Amino acid sequence: MAYPTDRVEAVKYDVKRGQVELTKGYPEEKFLWNVDFHPTPIRKRNWDWYTYAAIWFGMAFIVPSWSLASVGLSFGLGTIDSILLVLLGNAIVLIPMIIQSHGGARYGIPEPVLTRTRWGVYGAMFPSWVRAVIGAGWWGIESYIMTEAAVGIYAILTHRLDVIESYVARGIASPYTLSLAFPQVFWATFTAIILLQVALLYFSPVPEAQPALKWFARLTAPLVLLGFILLWYNFMTMSHWSIGQVLSIRPTVTGINYWIAWFAFLNANIAFWATMALSMPDYTRFAKSQFAQTVGQIPMPFMMLAIAFLSVMTTGAMEQVYHVAIWDPILAATLYLNPAMAIFINALFLLATFSVNVFANTVGPAYDFANTFPRKLTWFRGALIVIAVSIILGAWTYYGSAYGYLYNWLLTYGGLLGSVEGIIIFDYALIRRFKFELTDVFWSRGRFRYWRGINPAAFITFAIVEFIIYAPFIPYHDIVFSNSWLLSFLLSGLIYVPLMTRWVIPKYQPELKGSIFRGGYVSDEVMTVFSSRNT
């Protein structure tokens, strides 16, 4: 067991960079420390703002993002509503994302370790599992989409588009069409794509700041935008550029139903990147500075806005020309573009989805599962668990319809992550004011032990909030569920903060001094670490 004096002696604060470094490891803490979870040395924190912007390019310009605005139209919202709500939802989720990212950039630790400060050194496994399972669900969806793109290329090269057309003629025009048309080829390709991703992850070691992943994101980012612009340009040309007609589409729902759809779509857009609002410390632990991670992430809502505009215009143009609304761009490109262009665009879809699946849905959840048993589970073994869970979960079944995508997937997990993020943000930004004892996240009997390694305030808050969000007999349940992320986030803050300040901190962390209104709660050791003398 480490001595309490390590709280100062084993920690170095770089005033110029605003980053903290841990100079000592704790191999005796077999359940809380290993080399993958140890804070990244400052000399290895070398990701600049362009790296994060490139990562977001690779993550934003993907098929599910493209489909999101069209889902708004399917629920009766107008064109302008759908486009602007994409921007608003992503601007809202950017706020907790940057705050959470701050912890990774300052302390050099991944999300599961950072979460120990809020949920307890052992209790942190619970929100990490929640995030990991949702990430694994997305991993399965994205792998399915990659397979779609590859099989679309196969159908073009083998001149078998007539098979796909027969399904569309019967009204089966969804992300499932290609899997139904060519089942053997589809699932064999699905297996091959999984193995390719495993190979990339194997050659991207975490202690070396994941160089293969960083350069992979940089190389793919510019190509992704090109693919979506080409898709938009081709369909707009076919429709003789009838931009005004598409933008003039008005809502088809009114009254209370309009507002339910409006808030449901807003919350779905927030939930869309809610996993990344938790996961970003897994990447910002390699950031050169807070400036690098912040500036690199600010463009994200505007990227999503651009995708929404392109998506709505393309879907509207397609409906005008072919009198069929296909919200799956892979199916649309495969059927209606000339073969060379369709192959090229599908290849870019595959590449873009490959990038986001690695960054958004594998790296973070892999840390989460590995955090369960650090002595035995390395980060790569955690990645293998992510893949296994994704296959068992089969979340791609939710992607086949607009209702399933919005309600059964995005809003359902949005209620879970909203509460987790509320606890995290109110604790880190409001209660602790971005400062805590870095050593103690690795100590089984440190200040984040709380009650037997669990922070009761976090679990009580989560239980109350989730009961309110999901209990079907709660009054106005439709309205509550349509606001699942926003309500769970705000309610968590209202419940968690008084529980911590009135009960948990006085009982389990009496060394912390201060108040919500006077600089937050910090210990004398933390104040010493962040003084200019400890550099």
Side-chain angles (χ1 to χ4, degrees), residues 126-304:
F126 175 74
S128 292
W129 289 339
V130 172
R131 181 190 75 154
V133 170
I134 294 170
W138 272 115
W139 197 96
I141 292 173
E142 302 284 11
S143 295
Y144 185 92
I145 290 170
M146 281 186 272
T147 306
E148 262 198 289
V151 174
I153 294 173
Y154 162 82
I156 295 169
L157 293 176
T158 57
H159 308 289
R160 302 186 66 184
L161 293 180
D162 57 321
V163 179
I164 304 173
E165 290 171 350
S166 67
Y167 280 90
V168 174
R170 298 200 302 267
I172 305 174
S174 74
Y176 296 136
T177 303
L178 288 168
S179 66
L180 295 173
F182 312 105
Q184 293 181 338
V185 172
F186 192 94
W187 296 112
T189 305
F190 185 73
T191 303
I193 285 174
I194 290 175
L195 295 177
L196 284 172
Q197 292 177 90
V198 171
L200 178 64
L201 295 169
Y202 181 77
F203 290 105
S204 300
V206 175
E208 298 302 320
Q210 299 178 309
L213 298 187
K214 180 174 70 173
W215 287 108
F216 183 66
R218 288 190 175 194
L219 292 172
T220 59
L223 298 177
V224 176
L225 179 58
L226 173 63
F228 284 101
I229 290 177
L230 287 174
L231 185 66
W232 166 77
Y233 178 83
N234 277 271
F235 279 101
M236 290 306 298
T237 300
M238 294 177 191
S239 68
H240 305 292
W241 294 88
S242 54
I243 296 175
Q245 295 181 35
V246 175
L247 289 177
S248 64
I249 297 175
R250 299 184 60 80
T252 59
V253 290
T254 58
I256 187 64
N257 291 328
Y258 168 80
W259 289 110
I260 289 176
W262 196 94
F263 279 104
F265 191 58
L266 173 65
N267 279 264
N269 273 278
I270 299 172
F272 188 77
W273 288 121
T275 50
M276 289 306 298
L278 288 178
S279 302
M280 281 310 296
D282 299 334
Y283 314 101
T284 61
R285 67 181 299 203
F286 306 123
K288 281 184 174 181
S289 63
Q290 297 295 348
F291 176 86
Q293 67 90 1
T294 302
V295 172
Q297 294 193 79
I298 286 176
M300 182 273 288
F302 301 99
M303 295 179 191
M304 296 297 292

Side-chain angles (χ1 to χ4, degrees), residues 17-30:
R17 297 179 59 154
Q19 294 179 322
V20 180
E21 183 172 21
L22 185 62
T23 60
K24 180 180 178 181
Y26 300 102
E28 66 273 16
E29 294 285 4
K30 298 179 180 179

